[in-house]
Amino acid sequence: MPSTSPFLEIKDFQFQKEAWNCWPTCIKNILSALQKKYPKCPNPSVHVINKTIGSFHGFPKVPSMVTPTMNEKILKKKGFEMKEESNMSFEKLKNLIEDKNKSYPIVSVSPEYFDEMERKFGRKKLGYYTQGKSTIDHTIIILDIEEEEITFFDPYTPFFHRKEKNVPERAIFKLPKALFLDLWSEAKRSYRWAMWIERISQKRIEEYQEG
């Protein structure tokens, strides 16, 4: 990968504007990246995504309805489909990233993520420090998987860099595979949960429009 800008698709990635708005912001970002490859891909604002999935400050009222609602209201009529899966294997997660017809995957990590990040990178680089114990999961976007290292985008990190210029590259981090697997496996939402968006065939688009 080029050393200057290894992930050109993320140059327009956004950072969450509220402390709990990570999931809708991640959805917005993976759609933005996918639209760079496929211009017909919908790319609504975070506000529209929150309104569509019925979330309050980033918390969907019914998390299980996020995927079917996004598909029904925004994605399928344009030829795209959101999917999610629990109990996902590490190999499948890697395959998602390598498939050009699919977006970067979003994953849920356990509340211990914030403590681990602070221990590994320190407060100055992160721009925040943890106060007390977090009790809810966090969502991040997986950008690349190497043999023993995971590269990801964290929309939360620059949230606290209020007085400094934020650029997407500032929110790219790497964690060892073993630590990532622990955080991914221990998420409260579901064991090894992931969400992504993919193109659907023209035949399925026509079937959906006819239905």
Side-chain angles (χ1 to χ4, degrees), residues 2-211:
S3 58
T4 52
S5 183
F7 308 104
L8 294 176
E9 300 94 341
I10 75 153
K11 69 182 183 68
D12 295 322
F13 271 18
Q14 296 182 14
F15 313 118
Q16 59 195 83
K17 295 180 180 179
E18 296 179 275
W20 315 118
N21 212 17
C22 57
W23 192 6
T25 303
C26 282
I27 293 174
K28 161 65 181 176
N29 286 337
I30 65 172
L31 283 169
S32 176
L34 199 59
Q35 190 186 57
K36 285 180 170 56
K37 292 190 288 185
Y38 305 108
K40 291 184 179 180
C41 179
N43 186 17
S45 66
V46 174
H47 173 75
V48 169
I49 291 171
N50 272 318
K51 187 175 180 180
T52 300
I53 64 178
S55 66
F56 180 74
H57 294 294
F59 285 111
K61 294 178 181 177
V62 186
S64 62
M65 289 302 296
V66 170
T67 292
T69 302
M70 284 292 294
N71 283 334
E72 177 71 23
K73 301 290 186 181
I74 295 178
L75 295 172
K76 280 193 172 181
K77 57 189 175 184
K78 295 294 186 178
F80 294 84
E81 184 174 20
M82 177 178 282
K83 293 186 176 182
E84 60 180 304
E85 183 177 315
S86 298
N87 302 309
M88 180 177 284
S89 69
F90 183 73
E91 191 62 32
K92 181 166 184 179
L93 183 66
K94 187 175 181 180
N95 290 340
L96 287 178
I97 295 171
E98 294 171 350
D99 190 332
K100 294 182 179 180
N101 288 317
K102 296 179 174 62
S103 71
Y104 290 121
I106 298 169
V107 301
S108 194
V109 290
S110 74
E112 284 71 28
Y113 166 86
F114 294 104
D115 288 337
E116 293 291 348
M117 289 291 284
E118 185 177 335
R119 277 193 287 270
K120 184 168 179 60
F121 296 103
R123 297 178 181 180
K124 185 175 181 179
K125 181 174 177 62
L126 292 177
Y128 69 83
Y129 62 93
T130 53
Q131 294 179 312
K133 277 286 184 182
S134 176
T135 58
I136 63 171
D137 290 343
H138 183 48
T139 52
I140 58 177
I141 301 171
I142 306 301
L143 300 176
D144 192 33
I145 294 178
E146 298 176 27
E147 188 170 340
E148 292 299 328
E149 198 169 53
I150 312 301
T151 304
F152 61 94
F153 179 90
D154 181 355
Y156 182 81
T157 301
F159 178 72
F160 286 95
H161 289 290
R162 297 182 183 277
K163 296 180 181 180
E164 302 174 44
K165 183 178 179 180
N166 285 323
V167 293
E169 289 81 1
R170 192 170 192 169
I172 297 177
F173 295 93
K174 295 177 182 286
L175 284 178
K177 176 183 174 181
L179 176 56
F180 167 75
L181 288 175
D182 285 343
L183 296 171
W184 187 31
S185 301
E186 294 169 3
K188 295 176 181 291
R189 173 176 174 79
S190 187
Y191 179 79
R192 294 192 177 183
W193 173 88
M195 168 182 278
W196 69 97
I197 296 162
E198 62 184 57
R199 290 204 302 169
I200 56 180
S201 67
Q202 184 62 36
K203 182 179 179 181
R204 287 188 60 204
I205 297 172
E206 293 170 357
E207 290 173 350
Y208 175 76
Q209 292 173 340
E210 290 172 359

